[in-house]
Amino acid sequence: MTTQSAVSSAPAEQSFSIKSIIGPVMAVVVGMIMVILDSTVVNVAMPNLIEYFNTSVSTMQWSITAYTLALSAVIPLAGWLTDRYGAKQIFLITIVLFTLGSVLCSLAQTPEQLILYRIIQGLGGGMVSPIGMAIIFRLAPPGKQGSIMGVLGVPMMLAPAIGPTLSGFLVEYASWHWIFLVNLPIGIIALLVGIKYLPKFEQKSVPALDVIGMVLAPITFASLAYAVSEGGKDWGSTQTVTGLIVGGVALILFIMIELRHKQPLLELRVFGSSDFTRGIIISWLSMMALFGSFLLVPMYLQTAKGFSPMESGLMSLPQVIMSGLFMPIGGKLFDRIGARPLAIIGLCLVGSGLFMLSQISVDTGTGYVIMTLILTGAGMGLSMMPINTHILKAAPRRLVSRVTSLTAAAQQVVVSFAVAGLTGYFSSRVTHYMATAKEDQVAAMTSAFADTFLFAAYLALAGAVLALILRKPKVGQGDEQSDKQANAMSLGH
């Protein structure tokens, strides 16, 4: 911090008003809503995209996988780029890139074009949230950081709630193109507000960029995601084996490079903490399990139950509402009892909801499905924040500032693996049941969904079992401020 900014911060703390930073907050919130919306709208539109492009589920799922892999590739670069070129400039560039990618997606004529344009979207969208949160964190005075950062929780709760419903409305009453075109006016608003209200931050001297790590990371994650996708159909196929070999070799090289680099792209040394490692593995299992409901329930409702996109979007509201109700409860209980009981109970609820979904049949009623979504939503809300806060608290204090980019990037990679793996497994089960139940395609499709939900339930229960060995991280003297920062940063997960 410069002498001038240090002097000016004292009166700012005394006379601070939310009105003084409402402009920058609005620019960041609008940008974050746009990006988070796009992480959910494609799920509801998936059946329509498959039909429009006349392609398979396993091919079209790459429109989601490619997007999340692109997100994960650029998240670690956010800190380096903002220090080097300034937070305002990079934030505005990412908004432009995401908006451009959205427009291109709406113009796609083939599945390959859509996948390519989703990568452009991801390259822009990946840095919007971490840069936006860093800007607001720096603008808020120390005594107000918690409440100001809490404002950024609004788009994180609002966007998932309205995303599926908005997507269903646009697909049903307009066309799938509008789930991407809607980002154009939002992006323009975010850009104009950002240009006018975002302050310029001083540029800093930065270490050399980890170029080798930046090249190896996407090769590693894309190859392994491809192998997982193909493995869902046949683990012995040439495509699966090739993906595993290329991804495995790249992963070994990536780990070696990152552990030796003074300023690595991803700080892998943090895995030296057993508490951190246990926590992040549990987080990964919960994310993979939850995508069993996020991605597959809308597909099940539309393809097997005959729901319209709008109806399937509305069906997701109970899940989001329960998640929103239980998230603050989980946060308060974490301070009293730690992450272990909350993770166990929450993941058991998620697993129970998914297990109930695995019992579906052609005669399953809407009320039954809503009950399963209520369970998964409650479990998600109860466990998500405690697990993420545990991860940050379990990290060695000297590395905590680097952990957020690692966990955010890893989360996106795990989501891409979950999408690839679950859709690949679903496709293989459809093929299996179609061969044995040719007279009833709806029954075959329903059975394939049931098997996939059961697989996701096992992932959630595995996370609950692993949570039994979670320990409460030890908080040393002087760590109180770090804990507050960890709680604020955990909003981004």
Side-chain angles (χ1 to χ4, degrees):
M1 180 180 288
T2 63
T3 305
Q4 183 179 358
S5 61
V7 171
S8 62
S9 64
E13 288 182 37
Q14 297 174 2
S15 59
F16 175 78
S17 170
I18 185 66
K19 292 181 180 179
S20 63
I21 63 168
I22 192 67
V25 168
M26 286 304 300
V28 171
V29 166
V30 172
M32 288 175 64
I33 284 179
M34 179 174 65
V35 174
I36 299 173
L37 266 178
D38 229 63
S39 298
T40 58
V41 295
V42 176
N43 294 346
V44 174
M46 184 65 73
N48 298 79
L49 292 172
I50 293 170
E51 181 181 356
Y52 180 87
F53 289 110
N54 191 27
T55 188
S56 65
V57 174
S58 57
T59 297
M60 192 48 61
Q61 59 89 12
W62 277 97
S63 65
I64 299 176
T65 301
Y67 177 75
T68 53
L69 285 174
L71 286 176
S72 68
V74 297
I75 286 173
L77 296 176
W80 190 90
L81 287 172
T82 52
D83 286 345
R84 176 68 178 83
Y85 299 104
K88 178 176 181 176
Q89 290 89 327
I90 299 301
F91 183 82
L92 295 177
I93 289 172
T94 59
I95 292 293
V96 170
L97 190 59
F98 183 87
T99 306
L100 174 63
S102 299
V103 174
L104 289 173
C105 285
S106 71
L107 302 175
Q109 299 298 312
T110 66
E112 293 76 18
Q113 288 181 5
L114 181 61
I115 292 167
L116 174 62
Y117 298 150
R118 287 281 282 169
I119 291 174
I120 296 174
Q121 258 195 320
L123 292 175
M127 287 188 281
V128 169
S129 291
I131 294 176
M133 291 181 69
I135 289 174
I136 302 305
F137 193 81
R138 291 171 68 179
L139 289 177
K144 300 286 185 179
Q145 285 172 339
S147 58
I148 299 302
M149 291 297 287
V151 174
L152 299 185
V154 173
M156 296 177 188
M157 293 303 302
L158 183 62
I162 66 176
T165 306
L166 175 64
S167 175
F169 176 82
L170 292 174
V171 170
E172 187 169 347
Y173 295 106
S175 71
W176 67 263
H177 305 79
W178 282 96
I179 66 174
F180 299 112
L181 274 177
V182 72
N183 290 328
L184 180 59
I186 300 176
I188 292 174
I189 293 172
L191 184 65
L192 294 176
V193 175
I195 290 173
K196 183 173 182 179
Y197 292 108
L198 286 179
K200 288 186 178 180
F201 294 98
E202 60 181 276
Q203 299 176 10
K204 303 176 182 178
S205 59
V206 293
L209 183 62
D210 179 12
V211 177
I212 298 178
M214 190 172 66
V215 172
L216 284 175
I219 294 175
T220 300
F221 302 142
S223 298
L224 291 176
Y226 176 75
V228 170
S229 175
E230 294 298 315
K233 307 170 197 172
D234 181 8
W235 284 102
S237 68
T238 303
Q239 294 91 329
T240 303
V241 173
T242 302
L244 288 174
I245 292 174
V246 173
V249 171
L251 178 61
I252 293 172
L253 293 174
F254 178 71
I255 292 173
M256 292 172 60
I257 293 294
E258 297 305 281
L259 290 178
R260 294 182 179 182
H261 203 286
K262 291 183 179 179
Q263 293 289 336
L265 188 69
L266 294 177
E267 185 53 84
L268 300 183
R269 297 178 185 89
V270 73
F271 283 98
S273 165
S274 60
D275 289 330
F276 174 87
T277 302
R278 292 169 189 162
I280 201 166
I281 290 175
I282 293 168
S283 173
W284 292 347
L285 288 169
S286 67
M287 287 302 300
M288 287 189 285
L290 282 168
F291 261 80
S293 58
F294 290 165
L295 175 64
L296 295 172
V297 168
M299 288 176 60
Y300 160 70
L301 292 173
Q302 292 181 54
T303 58
K305 300 294 289 182
F307 277 42
S308 68
M310 183 69 177
E311 288 171 335
S312 68
L314 288 171
M315 283 284 285
S316 68
L317 285 178
Q319 185 180 42
V320 176
I321 291 171
M322 293 303 293
S323 176
L325 288 175
F326 276 84
M327 195 168 287
I329 295 174
K332 290 181 180 179
L333 289 176
F334 172 82
D335 293 329
R336 298 180 182 178
I337 61 178
R340 179 167 59 185
L342 297 171
I344 294 171
I345 296 171
L347 288 173
C348 282
L349 288 173
V350 172
S352 299
L354 289 168
F355 180 78
M356 288 175 64
L357 279 171
S358 73
Q359 306 302 304
I360 55 176
S361 67
V362 290
D363 300 321
T364 298
T366 303
Y368 184 86
V369 177
I370 290 176
M371 181 58 66
T372 67
L373 296 179
I374 287 174
L375 282 174
T376 57
M380 172 186 172
L382 198 61
S383 60
M384 178 180 289
M385 194 66 76
I387 292 174
N388 287 326
T389 308
H390 170 91
I391 291 170
L392 290 167
K393 284 193 170 187
R397 290 301 175 214
R398 70 184 188 281
L399 300 177
V400 73
S401 63
R402 304 291 305 277
V403 169
T404 49
S405 61
L406 169 65
T407 54
Q411 185 183 66
Q412 295 298 337
V413 171
V414 168
V415 166
S416 68
F417 282 10
V419 172
L422 290 172
T423 52
Y425 181 72
F426 169 73
S427 297
S428 70
R429 301 313 294 165
V430 169
T431 302
H432 168 76
Y433 285 114
M434 286 295 187
T436 58
K438 294 180 180 179
E439 73 284 359
D440 191 346
Q441 291 190 349
V442 174
M445 188 79 72
T446 302
S447 297
F449 277 115
D451 285 359
T452 311
F453 287 132
L454 182 61
F455 181 71
Y458 287 145
L459 292 174
L461 294 177
V465 171
L466 187 59
L468 291 170
I469 60 173
L470 272 184
R471 298 181 303 185
K472 194 169 185 178
K474 296 179 180 178
V475 180
Q477 187 175 2
D479 287 338
E480 183 179 351
Q481 182 61 32
S482 296
D483 292 340
K484 291 180 180 179
Q485 184 179 10
N487 284 322
M489 287 179 173
S490 69
L491 285 171
H493 297 279

